[in-house]
Each structure stands twice: as structure tokens, then as C-alpha cells.
Amino acid sequence: MTSVPAAGGDKPPAAPKSRKSVTGTRRTVAALFLLPAFVLLGALVVYPIGYSVVRSFYDQSGDGFAGIDNYKSLFTDEGIRTALKNNIIWVIFAPTVATALGLIFAVLTERVRWGTAFKLVVFMPMAISMLAAGIIFRLVYDQDPDKGVANAVWVGVHDTFSQASAFPKAHPGRESPLKPAGGGAFITTSPVRTGEVVSLPLVGVAPDLMPDGAKAAAAPEPEPDKVTGTTWQDFTRGKGVGKLNSVDPAELGYAGMKVEAVKDGKVVASATAADDGTFTLSAAADGAQLRLPASNFKEPYNGLDWLGPSLVTPAIIGSYIWMWAGFAMVLIAAGLASVPRELLEAARVDGASEWQVFRRVTVPLLAPVLAVVAVTLMINVLKIFDLVFIIAPGSSQDDANVLALELYRKGFSEDQPGIASAISVFLLLLVIPVMWFNVRRLRREVRR
């Protein structure tokens, strides 16, 4: 039996086809492939965030509802306020300095043969874990110049311009003709006269710590119109050996000791002791008291307390920059390689100096790359924890505190999970604007 065609010659409607995705894959199959990813995303990201938000509204026990009390603590607790202040310092300075150094390294190494080797060396710290870097810089910042590299360099530079004394522990002994003059100086108990030989004995310096140029102390001959004398280490090893306040053959002179003649509080003459401790003053010293100024006994300079309360945060930021400047350099160098050389050459032909080319051409063209680097480092420093925890000693950890470290301390050391959850939510809120800015910038780049 033949079918009757539809009126008007129209064909019967075709059977509906199952809808497919853009790639031609059925949506059900695509959903099955994406399901494991969604499960992991929910378990590892969405659930922890949601649980932290809920937990932040409960008290320490987790049973009582605390409302916004935990969030109030973010702005009233002294430790959290210090951490917040330090995080602001980190966000302002660490990404800025690291990005600036990366830009400088990328531009300067572009024209040198060994630029690749230099970039490799600068990037190498990125291969080191935060734990290892923290241990390295804990040693670098050691207070002892014999151990800490930072203070070894700093003390070396300081001593180049201001040499420390070789006699920091020297002081008058028993029955000495010297007495304290205030401020660490010593002065004779009575005035001296020309033609007189003055003895200025001191003790307190170990023989093996005496200057290398020191020689056996000697008693000078008197001179008619001058004041002569000796300053020396009045100590001889061995019981009953040597005579008090008298130069003995085995005793060494204080080479380089400065001696001043003082009248009415004014210095009228001065001299520096020879290698055997002898010195000679002019006739102006007649009737004056002899003073050994405090500069003779200045303690050796031991450098800066890098991990003290005032410098610990800048010191840790320095270690972070050491690690991440290489990261910034590599990204900026990649962006610099894509800059059209015709624009740079055209600017030079038009008479622009290298500084003008850099400031008006190179930097504007690299602005998108610089923004990526800066934003990435900002997100990174907001969650900085390892370096602060390892480098800052216990005595300065409160001063170096940051939000991530305070979160750890509240959650595990002080058993306050509600406040710790509030800090974690607060950190998330701080990161969101930076991420939003980054997403907007990426979309703008795609449209171009």
C-alpha cells in the first residue's frame, strides 16, 4: 500500500537528532570525562573554602556560634595587626623590587655575550625550596661576622673607614697612675712635667690578642723640653714574675695607642705610641694631665642585627627577592624578545638616548608582561610563610609576623581554629581583587 503524500507536496518532518557539543562529542560523554575533575575541584577547593567560611563563625570549641567576633579579632588582636602591617609592607616592596630587578637584568643582559649564563645564575635560586633558602639566609644573617656573610661584608666595609681598636678590654691595674675619666677614657691622677718620664701601664689584653706589630716595651730617656713615656701591657705570665708598674723585658708595648695632654679640658698636645709603646709630647704638655681617649678602647664593630626587631622584615624580604628576581627576569626577557626591534631603532635614529628608549619605548611595550609578573608576585607574597617561619628567630618572630604565619600559630600553637579560619577567609578576600584584575587584563589581551 502506497503512502499518501502530504498536501501541497511537503515532505514529512525529519526525526530530531541528539544534540552534540561543539567538538561533536555527546554532552553526556563530555560530562562523564569532566566529572572526576569536578569531584576533585569540589573536594580540594570548594569544600575547604566553604568549611573555612562556616568554621570562622564558631568559637574555639566549634559548638558555639560566635558571629563576627572572630573577624573583629582581625583588627583588635595585636599579633594579627602586626601581621597585617607586615603583609602590607611585603605587598608594596617585595613585588616592586623583584620586578624592577628582573627588568634591569633582562635589559642589561640582552646585549652581552654571557647574558645567558648570567640569567642562569640569577634564575638558579628558583630551583631551591623555601625551606632550604630560609636555612641559607638564617646563616647569612648570623650576627657573628665570622659566620654570617652579610655582617662579614658590612664589618669589612665599616672597618675600611673606621678601624676598631686593638685594645677594647684594656684598663688600669692595681696601684695604677691612671683613673677613669668618663666615657671610657683614662687620665693620669696628677699633672706631668717636661723632662719627666711617664708610665701608663694597662692590663686586660691577652698576649695573643696584642697587635702583630707590638714589640717589647721600652722605657724612653727623659728629654729636657718634652714629656716622654711608655704605655704597655703590665703583665708577665708566671707567679711572682715581673714588677708592678715597671717595664719588664717580656712585656709588650701598646703600639698605636693615642695619648693626649689635657689642660682645663682642652687637648694641648697629642702623640701616638710607637711599636714599643714609647711616646713623646711637646713642651705644651708641661703641667697637663695625660689622657688615653676612649677611642683606644672602642669595642670591635660586629655589624648589624639583621634579625633584630627593626630589620628582620626587610632582611627576609631581601631573601625573597634573591629567590624571585630570577623568575621576574625570565618572564620579562621573554617579553622583551617579542618587542619589535624596528621601534627601538626608529627611536634611536630620531635622536633618543638609551635612557629615553628604555623609559618611553621599552617599558610601555613591556607593560603587560610587567603587570603579569607584579600581580603573580603579589599573590605569592600574600601567602608567604616558609621564609618568615624559618629565618626569623623566636625573639623576633612576633615582629616579622605575617598573616599566613599567624594563621598557623592561631590554628596549631594557640588552638584557636575559629580565628585561624577567619584569617584564611580574610586572605582569600585579599587575593580575589588581585585575581580579578589579572582575569580582566587577560580578557582584554584576548580581545586584541
Side-chain angles (χ1 to χ4, degrees):
M1 184 177 179
T2 58
S3 60
V4 181
D10 293 336
K11 294 181 179 179
K17 297 180 179 180
S18 60
R19 300 180 66 182
K20 295 183 179 182
S21 66
V22 177
T23 59
T25 307
R26 295 181 184 276
R27 292 187 175 182
T28 304
V29 177
L32 290 175
F33 275 103
L34 291 174
L35 184 61
F38 281 126
V39 171
L40 288 175
L41 185 66
L44 301 180
V45 178
V46 178
Y47 174 75
I49 292 176
Y51 181 80
S52 296
V53 172
V54 173
R55 189 66 182 80
S56 66
F57 292 102
Y58 283 82
D59 59 14
Q60 181 174 345
S61 65
D63 299 325
F65 186 74
I68 61 172
D69 289 347
N70 292 328
Y71 288 94
K72 288 181 180 178
S73 299
L74 299 182
F75 304 99
T76 57
D77 185 276
E78 189 65 30
I80 301 177
R81 289 170 61 183
T82 301
L84 182 58
K85 180 194 71 174
N86 287 335
N87 262 102
I88 293 173
I89 295 173
W90 271 89
V91 169
I92 292 174
F93 290 101
T96 303
V97 177
T99 304
L101 281 177
L103 175 62
I104 293 171
F105 291 155
V107 172
L108 293 182
T109 56
E110 191 184 25
R111 299 185 179 182
V112 295
R113 293 182 181 177
W114 42 268
T116 303
F118 178 82
K119 290 176 183 177
L120 179 63
V121 172
V122 175
F123 188 74
M124 279 180 64
M126 282 294 298
I128 302 175
S129 68
M130 287 282 196
L131 172 66
I135 295 173
I136 289 170
F137 275 88
R138 182 66 182 268
L139 298 175
V140 167
Y141 291 133
D142 196 289
Q143 178 68 40
D144 188 350
D146 294 332
K147 298 178 182 177
V149 175
N151 265 341
V153 174
W154 191 264
V155 169
V157 173
H158 175 273
D159 288 349
T160 302
F161 300 98
S162 178
Q163 187 65 39
S165 169
F167 320 109
K169 303 296 183 182
H171 60 274
R174 294 180 295 111
E175 302 176 16
S176 174
L178 294 166
K179 64 179 181 179
F186 301 103
I187 196 167
T188 55
T189 55
S190 57
V192 297
R193 297 294 176 183
T194 54
E196 182 181 349
V197 176
V198 183
S199 296
L200 302 178
L202 295 168
V203 294
V205 180
D208 55 343
L209 296 180
M210 292 289 286
D212 295 336
K215 297 181 179 178
E221 296 294 328
E223 298 185 27
D225 297 325
K226 295 181 180 179
V227 175
T228 58
T230 305
T231 176
W232 79 101
Q233 172 80 353
D234 189 20
F235 175 79
T236 303
R237 284 180 174 173
K239 187 175 180 180
V241 179
K243 187 177 180 182
L244 189 64
N245 295 333
S246 177
V247 177
D248 296 308
E251 295 169 348
L252 298 175
Y254 280 130
M257 180 77 73
K258 188 176 181 180
V259 182
E260 298 174 341
V262 181
K263 282 184 181 179
D264 301 324
K266 296 181 179 180
V267 178
V268 295
S270 63
T272 301
D275 291 345
D276 59 0
T278 59
F279 60 88
T280 303
L281 295 166
S282 65
D286 186 49
Q289 289 177 283
L290 300 191
R291 182 176 65 187
L292 302 178
S295 59
N296 290 318
F297 314 105
K298 185 171 61 176
E299 291 284 345
Y301 181 67
N302 285 322
L304 298 175
D305 187 8
W306 295 101
L307 300 182
S310 59
L311 289 177
V312 63
T313 295
I316 299 173
I317 290 176
S319 66
Y320 177 88
I321 292 170
W322 176 77
M323 289 192 68
W324 287 88
F327 166 82
M329 178 196 65
V330 169
L331 290 188
I332 295 171
L336 190 61
S338 64
V339 171
R341 298 298 177 219
E342 297 82 7
L343 296 178
L344 303 179
E345 294 303 326
R348 294 188 181 101
V349 170
D350 288 341
S353 64
E354 289 299 322
W355 169 246
Q356 290 173 323
V357 171
F358 172 76
R359 186 166 59 92
R360 297 182 180 275
V361 181
T362 305
V363 173
L365 290 174
L366 288 175
V369 180
L370 296 176
V372 170
V373 174
V375 170
T376 303
L377 294 181
M378 282 182 185
I379 296 173
N380 189 268
V381 300
L382 280 173
K383 56 184 182 180
I384 192 70
F385 167 81
D386 318 60
L387 290 178
V388 181
F389 184 72
I390 296 167
I391 295 178
S395 58
S396 301
Q397 200 168 85
D398 288 341
D399 301 283
N401 200 9
V402 290
L403 287 174
L405 177 60
E406 186 65 14
L407 187 157
Y408 168 81
R409 293 168 71 174
K410 293 294 184 187
F412 297 97
S413 299
E414 301 177 21
D415 193 22
Q416 299 184 43
I419 297 179
S421 298
I423 295 174
S424 66
V425 174
F426 183 63
L427 272 174
L428 177 63
L429 294 176
L430 291 178
V431 171
I432 286 175
V434 182
M435 295 178 64
W436 175 78
F437 169 80
N438 213 17
V439 170
R440 278 194 64 188
R441 188 198 56 75
L442 289 173
R443 285 180 176 174
R444 197 160 47 242
E445 288 296 319
V446 169
R447 292 193 195 103
R448 291 179 183 176

